[in-house]
């Protein structure tokens, strides 16, 4: 089983000096912790973000591996978004970030 720290380290490596998102992003991992991305900073802090994505750690890993489509995850209730409009506008940038995590 992949740990929160292992996923956080993969996100940090993918983000590098700057996530390229232009907004802060938080993954609320449904009781398994948080991953907060703001520019080039990646932490496990539960602090406010422009966009919060609530998803299980297992589903985040599936999305990162390209095995779970974000739209299908949202439609099935496996992914919740704090701001759908912002999520849609960031989709290409988030896709690029996920691609760097693989």
């Amino acid at each position: 089983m992949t740990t929160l720290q292992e996923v956080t380290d993969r996100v940090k490596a993918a983000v590098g000096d700057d996530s390229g998102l232009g907004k802060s992003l938080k993954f609320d991992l449904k009781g398994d912790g948080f991953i907060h991305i703001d520019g080039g900073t990646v932490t496990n802090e539960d602090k406010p973000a422009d966009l919060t994505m609530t998803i299980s750690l297992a589903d985040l890993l599936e999305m990162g591996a390209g095995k779970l489509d974000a739209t299908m995850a949202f439609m099935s209730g496996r992914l919740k978004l704090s701001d759908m409009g912002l999520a849609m506008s960031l989709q290409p940038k988030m896709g690029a970030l996920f691609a760097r995590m693989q």
Side-chain angles (χ1 to χ4, degrees):
M1 174 88 185
T2 304
T3 67
L4 175 61
Q5 188 58 53
E6 289 169 329
V7 175
T8 302
D9 290 344
R10 285 173 40 193
V11 172
K12 282 181 184 178
V15 165
D17 292 334
D18 187 2
S19 67
L21 296 173
K23 300 283 183 181
S24 59
L25 171 65
K26 177 172 68 174
F27 293 101
D28 176 346
L29 301 172
K30 298 181 177 182
D32 286 325
F34 302 90
I35 299 174
H36 189 274
I37 304 167
D38 191 359
T41 303
V42 179
T43 68
N44 293 117
E45 296 177 59
D46 178 15
K47 56 186 182 179
D50 296 311
L51 176 62
T52 299
M53 299 175 70
T54 303
I55 189 169
S56 71
L57 181 58
D59 284 345
L60 178 62
L61 291 169
E62 293 265 321
M63 276 185 17
K67 296 178 181 176
L68 176 62
D69 177 72
T71 302
M72 291 305 296
F74 178 77
M75 301 279 291
S76 65
R78 293 166 70 178
L79 169 65
K80 293 187 170 102
L81 303 167
S82 64
D83 185 329
M84 175 61 98
L86 181 56
M88 294 301 290
S89 70
L90 291 177
Q91 187 175 10
K93 293 177 181 181
M94 287 191 297
L97 180 61
F98 275 109
R100 291 192 303 267
M101 286 174 53
Q102 295 182 19

